[in-house]
Amino acid sequence: MLTEYKKILVALDGSKQSEKALLESIEIAKRNEAAIYLVWVINDLELTTSAYSFAKLLNEEEAFVKDFMTKKVAELNEAGITDIQTIVEIGSPKRKISVDLPKEHGIDLIIMGSTGKGAITQALVGSTTAYVVNHAPCNVMVVK
């Protein structure tokens, strides 16, 4: 490995690929004594396409994500990773993961799955991943 990574952003969305990305990040973090930034971006565009109230859906999604993140932090602690940050954002996953968060936190590696889980995301298979690969200011690892 040529690069030593100290701040690893892991994009989570509940998909199998993002779970694999998390497992990969654990090994890389251990080798590099790196911090892991668990990130879940709630796509506000997907929420607005629903017939339900935006606010109600957003509150439900935020509650689910916070519970999910708490469990992931416990898993990382069990694996020996203690330098963990959790970030839950609302907006465009493409923009947040590829540009905003890496710059804000000095991320030097982004690890993410090759596809997401949302119905809209599946219609545009890998579009977020492709965007991140092409726009991120740091290395990106795509996990299948």
Side-chain angles (χ1 to χ4, degrees):
M1 182 182 316
L2 297 175
T3 305
E4 186 174 292
Y5 301 107
K6 290 299 176 189
K7 293 184 176 184
I8 302 169
L9 184 154
V10 183
L12 299 175
D13 65 1
S15 68
K16 289 180 185 177
Q17 286 83 8
S18 74
E19 288 295 318
K20 289 180 181 178
L22 181 60
L23 293 175
E24 193 71 41
S25 73
I26 291 169
E27 296 309 312
I28 294 170
K30 285 180 179 179
R31 284 194 303 267
N32 291 276
E33 297 179 2
I36 292 182
Y37 291 72
L38 299 177
V39 174
W40 187 306
V41 180
I42 298 171
N43 189 342
D44 55 353
L45 288 179
E46 286 186 0
L47 293 177
T48 59
T49 61
S50 171
Y52 292 102
S53 163
F54 176 80
K56 182 179 179 186
L57 285 173
L58 181 59
N59 287 338
E60 290 172 1
E61 185 76 6
E62 284 179 320
F64 169 80
V65 172
K66 287 179 183 177
D67 182 57
F68 182 89
M69 292 294 223
T70 300
K71 292 174 183 171
K72 294 302 163 193
V73 168
E75 287 177 26
L76 288 170
N77 285 330
E78 286 178 25
I81 307 293
T82 56
D83 194 353
I84 307 161
Q85 303 289 323
T86 59
I87 301 169
V88 178
E89 296 267 340
I90 301 166
S92 166
K94 291 178 182 181
R95 176 77 188 170
K96 297 278 187 186
I97 295 167
S98 67
V99 179
D100 297 345
L101 294 172
K103 286 182 180 176
E104 182 179 335
H105 297 283
I107 300 298
D108 44 34
L109 176 64
I110 298 170
I111 303 177
M112 62 189 305
S114 57
T115 59
K117 70 173 182 95
I120 291 174
T121 304
Q122 287 178 353
L124 306 168
V125 174
S127 67
T128 299
T129 303
Y131 188 92
V132 171
V133 167
N134 288 310
H135 293 89
C138 59
N139 287 341
V140 179
M141 175 184 282
V142 179
V143 179
K144 287 184 152 191

